[in-house]
Amino acid sequence: MTEAHENYGLLTQTSDIREMQNPELQRHLPPSAALDWLKAGWRDLIAHPRISLAYGFAVFLLSLLTVWSMFSFGWDHILFPAVSGFLIVGPFVAIGLYDISRRRDAGEPVSLGRLYRVRARSGTQVFFVGILLCLLMLIWWRAAVIVYALFFGYRPFPGFDSLAPMLFTTGTGWAMLIVGAVVGGLFAAFSFAISAFSMPMLLNERSDALTAMGTSMVLVWNNLPVMMAWGAMALALFAISLLTGFLGLVVIFPLLGYGTWHAYKAIRRAEELPQVEEPPSQLARV
């Protein structure tokens, strides 16, 4: 056997996507466990209804302000990518909700004033992840504009009255929808993988932003069935919020935020490292 054939045989033996699976990170949770996380999030919401609904109402107002600003500045042509991009930055916006669930689990007091003093154990690394998610959303906006230009050239945005006929009654429109859905799906999958657990992890553990995002991707990959179920539920609930003119975010956003914390607890399950006792100081010996 030649050297080329030997190398090829080595590649076929070692290049297997299953090698990325780590049994230590697999929780073997059924897809129905995602519903349990949602139920746990509902219990947190019921336990603190005023704070939860106030948080959701603030997100609702922020969404309306964003839409109004886009129409005011003539950016309505990227309204749909902007709305879908909310799913990318949502985990960062929900950091206060993670803190509420964390405090409730620890038996610590919860109040609206404490939301302004959320202290992550990883410090400013939380904001670094937030910046990266915002940059990812901006890249998605640009990609959406490029997809539109590839199919319709420099044709001006026709307005929402003519948008539906242009997309659903022409072959070019259907082709753009398919390509846009594929590109958007890739952005959504990547953003979901890096943010599903990175924000709760940075809040609860000492880590850096890149390690947290990498850990999130690994945990999602090793628990794919239940995480796909969780992502589908989050997408469906967000779609309901859109159908209600964002009003549903008042309840749905805190519900998903609390549920994300319980998903992190169920999937992370990091084994605590043994505590190394520091040697007594000279003063202690005296």
Side-chain angles (χ1 to χ4, degrees):
M1 182 181 295
T2 64
E3 182 179 356
H5 284 86
E6 292 178 356
N7 293 336
Y8 175 76
L10 179 62
L11 288 175
T12 56
Q13 292 176 7
T14 60
S15 299
D16 192 338
I17 194 170
R18 290 175 296 181
E19 294 180 4
M20 299 176 62
Q21 298 285 342
N22 186 346
E24 296 181 358
L25 300 177
Q26 297 175 10
R27 308 302 176 223
H28 304 290
L29 296 173
S32 59
L35 186 59
D36 296 332
W37 302 340
L38 201 65
K39 292 178 180 178
W42 178 256
R43 288 193 293 268
D44 288 351
L45 193 153
I46 295 300
H48 304 286
R50 294 183 180 179
I51 299 177
S52 303
L53 296 180
Y55 204 107
F57 187 72
V59 174
F60 165 68
L61 293 180
L62 180 62
S63 302
L64 291 184
L65 179 62
T66 301
V67 173
W68 175 82
S69 300
M70 299 191 74
F71 277 99
S72 299
F73 290 100
W75 296 344
D76 53 332
H77 60 286
I78 59 171
L79 178 62
F80 291 124
V83 170
S84 59
F86 182 81
L87 294 172
I88 299 177
V89 298
F92 176 71
V93 180
I95 186 171
L97 299 170
Y98 308 149
D99 189 58
I100 292 175
S101 289
R102 181 174 66 88
R103 288 181 177 275
R104 185 167 182 263
D105 290 342
E108 300 177 359
V110 176
S111 65
L112 190 60
R114 293 181 182 272
L115 293 179
Y116 302 100
R117 302 191 302 271
V118 176
R119 293 183 178 180
R121 292 185 178 178
S122 297
T124 57
Q125 293 296 314
V126 171
F127 298 99
F128 185 58
V129 173
I131 293 174
L132 291 178
L133 291 178
C134 290
L135 290 176
L136 182 62
M137 183 177 66
L138 293 177
I139 295 174
W140 160 233
W141 288 2
R142 179 54 57 184
V145 173
I146 292 174
V147 170
Y148 176 85
L150 287 175
F151 287 92
F152 293 102
Y154 291 100
R155 179 179 177 181
F157 185 67
F160 290 98
D161 295 337
S162 304
L163 182 62
M166 183 182 73
L167 294 178
F168 297 106
T169 61
T170 63
T172 303
W174 277 106
M176 193 202 77
L177 286 175
I178 295 174
V179 173
V182 172
V183 174
L186 293 175
F187 273 93
F190 178 72
S191 62
F192 176 73
I194 65 174
S195 63
F197 302 120
S198 58
M199 297 303 298
M201 179 178 171
L202 291 173
L203 177 68
N204 194 53
E205 307 174 32
R206 288 186 176 274
S207 180
D208 62 89
L210 296 180
T211 299
M213 290 188 291
T215 302
S216 179
M217 291 187 66
V218 172
L219 290 174
V220 169
W221 173 251
N222 282 274
N223 300 275
L224 202 55
V226 66
M227 293 309 301
M228 289 182 64
W230 176 247
M233 290 175 57
L235 183 61
L237 290 174
F238 182 72
I240 294 175
S241 299
L242 293 182
L243 294 176
T244 60
F246 296 107
L247 187 60
L249 288 175
V250 176
V251 175
I252 290 176
F253 190 81
L255 178 63
L256 289 176
Y258 294 144
T260 299
W261 171 261
H262 293 284
Y264 157 76
K265 284 181 54 184
I267 297 295
R268 180 63 172 135
R269 279 172 41 185
E271 297 182 0
E272 296 183 359
L273 297 176
Q275 299 293 330
V276 179
E277 297 183 359
E278 297 182 358
S281 62
Q282 296 294 333
L283 182 60
R285 292 175 183 176
V286 175

